[in-house]
Amino acid sequence: MAGFLQEIVEGLGAGAIYASLALALVLIYQFTGIVNFAQGELAMFSAYIAWQFMAAGLPFWLALVLTLAVSFVGGMLIERVVIRPVEGAPELTVVIVTVGLFIFVNAAAGWIWSFLIKDFPNPFPGGAIEAGGLSLGYSTLGIMAVVGVVMGLLYLLFQHTKVGLGMRAVASNPSSARLVGIRVGWTLALGWGLAATVGAVSGILVAPLLFLEPNMMGGVLIYAFAAATLGGFDSPVGAVVGGLVVGVAETLAGAYVGFIGSDLKVGVPLVIILFILLLRPQGLFGRAAVERA
Amino acid sequence: MLEVHDLTVRFGGITALDSVGFSVWSGEMVGLIGPNGAGKTTLFNCLTRRYDADAGEVRYEEENLLAVPPHAIAGLGIARTFQNLGLFGHMSVRDNILVGAHHTGGAGFLTAALWLPRVRREEARLRAEADSLLERLALTEVADHPAAGLPFGTLKRVELARALVGRPKLLLLDEPVNGLNSAEVEEFSGTLRALREEFDVTVVVVEHHMGFVMGICDRVVCLDFGRKIAEGPPAEVQRDPGVMRAYLGTAI
Amino acid sequence: MSENAFLTVTDLRAGYGGARVLHGVSLAVGQGEICAILGPNGAGKTTLLRALSGMVRVRGDVRLDGADLSGRSPDTIARQGVAHVPEGRGTFMPLTVEENLRLGAFVRRDRRSLRGLRDLRGRRGGSAVDADLERVHTYFPVLKTRLKQVAGSLSGGEQQMLAIGRALMLRPRLLLLDEPSLGLAPMVTQELFRIVRAVNEEERTTVVVVEQNAHLALSIAQQAHVLESGRIVLSGSAEQIRADEQVAQSYLGYRV
Amino acid sequence: ACGGREAAAPSTAASGSGSGECQGQQTTGITDTSIKLGGIYPLSGPASAYGDIPKGIKAYFDYINAEKNGIGGRKVEFVVRDDGYQPPKAVEEARRLVEQEQVFALFQTLGTPSTTATWDYTNQQKVPQVFVATGASKWGSDTAHPWTIGWQPNYISEARVYAQYLKQERPDAKVAVLYQNDDFGKDLLGGFKKAIEGSKITVAAEQSYEVSDPSVDPQMRNLAGSKADVLLNITTPKFGSQALAADAKNTSWNPLHIVNNVAASITVLKPVGFPNVQGVVSSTYYKDPNDPKWKDDPEMMLYYAKMKQYAPDADPTVPYHTFGWAVASSFHKAMEAAKCPTREGLRDAMRALQNVQVDMLLPGVTLNTAADDGFPIESMQLMKFQGERWELFGDVIDTRKEFGPLTN
Amino acid sequence: MSGPAEVTEKAARAAAPTRGRSLARVATARRQWIVMAVLLAVACYAPFQLVPFRVFQLTMVLVYAVALLGLNLLVGHAGQISLGHGAFFAVGAYGSAIMIDRWDTPHLATLPVAAAVAFALGLALGLPAMRLRGLYLALVTLAIAIFLVPLLKRFEAVTGGSMGLTLGKPVPPAWTGLAEDQWLYFLALAVTVVAFLLAHGLLRSRVGRALHAVRDNEAAAEVMGVRLSFYKTLAFAWSAMFAGAAGCVYTWVIGFVSPDSFALTLSITLLASIVVGGLGSFSGPLLGGLFMMFVPSISQDVNDAAPGVIFGLLIIAVMYVAPTGLAGLAGRMTRSITKILRKE
Ligand SMILES: Nc1ncnc2c1ncn2[C@@H]1O[C@H](COP(=O)(O)OP(=O)(O)OP(=O)(O)O)[C@@H](O)[C@H]1O
Ligand SMILES: Nc1ncnc2c1ncn2[C@@H]1O[C@H](COP(=O)(O)OP(=O)(O)OP(=O)(O)O)[C@@H](O)[C@H]1O
Ligand SMILES: [Mg+2]
Ligand SMILES: [Mg+2]
């Protein structure tokens, strides 16, 4: 039993990682209505920036703050320079631009920092809380706390601020949003900036665990995508719950479903997601689109 | 031809239709009026199986309409237009209309891919029908134009053509003269009358344009808050105090 | 036409892509005036309003109270106090009715209008925006009962009311109405024009209204223009236009 | 550049430089003063880390071109193409190099899938495919592809080295295995299982991972559950680090950790933290540029000097560069040994290497091939991580001598 | 899927001349056929003029074009997103490879089977597609592409596991007098032409219109009698079938299949290529195939240190210049050229 609970704890830990990136995905979806394939790579790039700051001798927390700031500005710049020219083009065109961005950022990071892995300091202490045969690492706890805080902030942003209202308006109907006076361009840039910042948090959380290298976020992105889909692409709470469900399902499958084997375990969360989606096509926390002819 | 009994539809706390019942005889033209949000469009949506009824019954030519899957409605001879347009924006006007004849065609994936003579013949037939309707509704000029970007009034005609090309028996029109000026409304009434004769179609029309409704309908049903509050010949309904209070207001 | 017009449009040309729709439209509307635009289907009425609110690229000159609006983006123009009820309503489908209405006041300076801050502090009412929300509720009582409903599920007419309510939330200096009565029940249509009249009188809001119900439009307008194929073919005071033979035939035919 | 069809026809020694017994052999891509080689590596995509190898090779060739007048008077031109680790791309690039660039030989294709996808073609075209950068055993054991040959010790041999070591040190070890679910992981795991047959050593648990997995932590947890006393870590660099870190983090499970050569590079261990990887065992066959033992080794000094000179952007301490240097100098030796400066000559020289010394390889490790032996390097030496570097221990193990030739 | 810009542009284009439109239409149709015939003639002549390496490259372009044709059917015409089309491609490739490997099936005979297997898989996976939309559907297709790789590795006895299968190539019949590369090229060309003809027939008929209707407005389409589930599922299946056929030809050309050849990158590249080529357009798949084949090598010619940097930038650049794809750009260019020519 303790073993089982321990697996769940571990699964939650992994899930929190996926959730951290899923939050960034959900954020940008809320702002712009597109899925950003480059989100993971931007997070990785932010982690490199943090690494570079630390390599230059800055202490971790200062490097963190600077990285978040740089990521925010960088995200806005990307929107202005890369996304703006295709604004108003068909949705898939924008999505493919983010695919191009993915390839570009990945290669650029390899070019600048090489593909060799780098270690990244863990902001959380190494130990673990032991209780009732369960062990809960401080690192896991720390990640969960950060993810929880980010989720809460995003929830407040979406639901309880004017900016949040404006950005949901932009995502749902850009031309009407303009008519009521929303600066759509700035709102989108802001969205990219914020998403890049949340992504940077994710990258900095992930890097100490998976080691920093240009392909670090590739696998995470897929699980984050799964998490966001499961939770519903329009809900930060959903992203987190989705991430945790995916993490736990994956871990339990790997641990207990022996006949499947570790090679096919990836199928288990996918099947679960498919099943849930068939019951709730808009995801667990998503709002069903109301369509009236 | 169409019998609606005790039809009820609820959305959460809102009762959009509340035990509505009425009948439509073959060949008739029935006007459906009522304040905004009375449930007129919802009724249409029920008839075309876009919404599920919570209670009640709908019989269409002795068939239980509520048991028919949505895509089979067209095959039964029921066609409709949409209140705020339901066109296929990227498709040309002609193709939009051809989709209206979808249920009369028989080409499947394989036969179409092989472009069999059968398919070719069918295609030619459909195109001829569509072209004659385009002509009738003065749409030939814009036949190859994508639907998106055309003026609202034109699009309303495209919708009408699309509904008619499948040679329906029952035509449901949701605010067809919306956005037309009075001359255009008059012209539209004339066209509709003629088409009705020619296609031998029964019509139920939702419209807030009283001049149009009173001028063209044989009978009028008035809904309010999902309930039927009046039914009868246009002139009678127009004088009905309930209808006046809920819908028409004082001076018209 | 007033000498010191509030809104002046000179030789306005506009279109979509390569297709020109407006071929040099000029008009002037005085402050606090109501101006009706009539015209057949496809004449370019909608395009004219879109040009005024910056939704389509224009050539020519548009001035609002002296300020040049031509070539400005819609949000800049909205900030100048121009509210537009667009053709097709422009509802924010996934948002609630209340959110839709509050978005109308997005550019107003009452920072209290931040829906969130108010909710966070547990305060209700009090701000000017809240007062305006109340006002819209009295205009369109249906909306009040639907505040938390997703706007996309409203009936056609209800969405139309919502679009008008949203525009009023701005307390605009210039109100552009594109077929506001579209899909509204007769009673509401009459009420609507009473409201427009009232807003116009109380706040000296200038109004440009495109409307097929020419009777009603002309009954509240001071001046009117008839647009055909992208050109103004007839202008005058509301009475003059009403008296015109041609207009009577095309636009006033149905006297119900 | 679309020349006529005849441009693709191989030139032969009749019109080229060869004579005598070399008459009639292929001389495409080689003249008296030049030799053109082509290599295919993943410069983009998930395996891009290996893209460092050609930098070492290029540095070597630049050096001998500039200072040693090339290989036997022939300046080497080395064309590198990217296949993104995708087999169809590798086929395309191989054909580009052979048909359009008209290279003399393919010098290295990286990865088993890419090499497998191309070797039918190269053998059909009779183009040498030399020293491919993969340790699959088929390059040496397959008789239908005489034009292709490997270089590094094959994975099965490496597995034998570990099995041998365990038989001595932990004769009744229970082994947990983490392996990459591809040819590399399976070859090594299979070889290991075969090598421990008949001994008391057992495989207590095995877990695989896909290269697309974000992390091997779950696998490591499952392995920890087996309480095995040896962990065989068959991974590529990133996952190697993750596994080492996971092992270090788990204080209640302390198996003997054997990490395979692919992931034994110092660049893998360093991020994990040297205190965390003390006592880890691996094996190698070429000199580690980080090992102070070689500080005064002439070859290593030359390497550092020439890397600085000819590849100033590349970090010489990265073992991939050293690998590239070693394989390039191996090619140098093989080419010099060729009787004919022709493709056939190279092919034959490849399978007649006898005790060829390559200075970047460990002392005692030599290149040895024969008509029935297609494995140039079959010797490895065990090493243990101590302090900040690998310490070699024991003798060089010649797996061919110890275990006999590989049979498929 | 629709952007306002696109609509406006199309509208503007079509709005200009109205009179004599049907005449113009006939003329355009005839011109299209002439263009096609010329293209085909060039395509038949090319392999005798090019070095085998180029012929091989063109063969791969055709292979990709067939796969993209399928994807275009699904994404461009039916409006459903697939992030996992590489899986269908892989199924066709493996289907063919296994038949050749195990039963020595003649190469050509594997084509219908491979296509049928992919069709069946598409049909099975099209079922959830009935209920899911947009992103949610995209995830499911993505999952398929991810899951396929370990699955192929698992059934080693049949698939050859991670080592894959190596196969012989089809031998050109003696009477043709063709070299192997040329023969392969003509096989691919034949498959491409047939695939394009099939797709063309499909799209100009009632079926194509139904797909477009589903893409533009599901609710209205259903009222017109279009059975959404049927059309979505079959669009999936047909799209998979084309991808499967392409995969089969791929096996003939490359002679080697392995799980790594069909990783997720393939699926993403396919999607990117069809968007770059031009969604919903006739020439989009071909242009996409050219892009997929040639742009990565161009990228490394420009910067061999980090080809990905250039490749990523090129994708972005193409989308700037041609937001509706290369096909749209090509169309715009021909139109402006004819306009200029007419003026003179
Ligand atoms: N999907 C839905 N979810 C929630 N409420 C709905 C939904 N569809 C309709 N309603 C509500 O049901 C009521 C009836 O709507 P309906 O569209 O039938 O009105 P209507 O009579 O057509 O009005 P109008 O004349 O304005 O078009 C409205 O109040 C609307 O808000
Ligand atoms: N988005 C668009 N893209 C391209 N052309 C358009 C677009 N919108 C309108 N048009 C064209 O502009 C012309 C004028 O249209 P507009 O909508 O301004 O007319 P209108 O007078 O408002 O007509 P209605 O009474 O039908 O609303 C029409 O010919 C139409 O085809
Ligand atoms: Mg309605
Ligand atoms: Mg209009």
Side-chain angles (χ1 to χ4, degrees), chain A residues 22-76:
Chain A
L23 282 172
L25 285 177
V26 163
L27 177 61
I28 209 148
Y29 184 78
Q30 279 288 317
F31 266 98
T32 65
I34 63 155
V35 179
N36 180 9
F37 272 88
Q39 197 71 65
E41 301 313 285
L42 294 179
M44 172 274 293
F45 207 86
S46 294
Y48 267 111
I49 291 174
W51 181 87
Q52 193 70 62
F53 279 134
M54 283 184 278
L58 296 187
F60 177 86
W61 295 106
L62 184 58
L64 173 72
V65 172
L66 283 177
T67 304
L68 295 186
V70 171
S71 303
F72 182 77
V73 175
M76 290 187 74

Side-chain angles (χ1 to χ4, degrees), chain B residues 36 178 181-184 251-252, chain C residues 41 182-183 190 212 250-251 256:
Chain B
N36 296 117
N178 217 332
N181 65 41
S182 54
E184 288 162 346
I252 318 141
Chain C
N41 196 237
L182 199 86
Q190 291 156 28
Q212 299 296 7
S250 302
Y251 303 101
V256 213

Side-chain angles (χ1 to χ4, degrees), chain A residues 290 292, chain B residues 11 14 16 34-43 51 83 174-175 208, chain C residues 146 149 153-158 183:
Chain A
V290 183
R292 300 205 41 178
Chain B
F11 301 105
I14 305 160
N36 296 117
K40 306 176 294 294
T41 303
T42 304
L43 180 66
Y51 287 164
Q83 181 172 357
D174 203 345
E175 308 199 6
H208 292 301
Chain C
R146 300 296 166 86
Q149 189 172 332
S153 70
L154 292 181
S155 86
E158 288 164 347

Side-chain angles (χ1 to χ4, degrees), chain D residues 37 105-109 127-133 147-151 327 331 334 346-347 350:
Chain D
L37 301 175
L106 285 186
F107 177 53
Q108 292 219 306
T109 47
V127 177
Q129 188 175 19
V130 189
F131 296 157
V132 295
W147 296 87
T148 303
I149 194 165
W151 181 71
V327 74
F331 178 81
L346 178 60
R347 174 197 62 190
M350 284 301 125

Side-chain angles (χ1 to χ4, degrees), chain B residues 152, chain C residues 45-47 87 178-179 210:
Chain B
F152 196 75
Chain C
K45 308 180 295 293
T46 299
T47 309
E87 183 177 89
D178 197 345
E179 309 202 13
V210 168

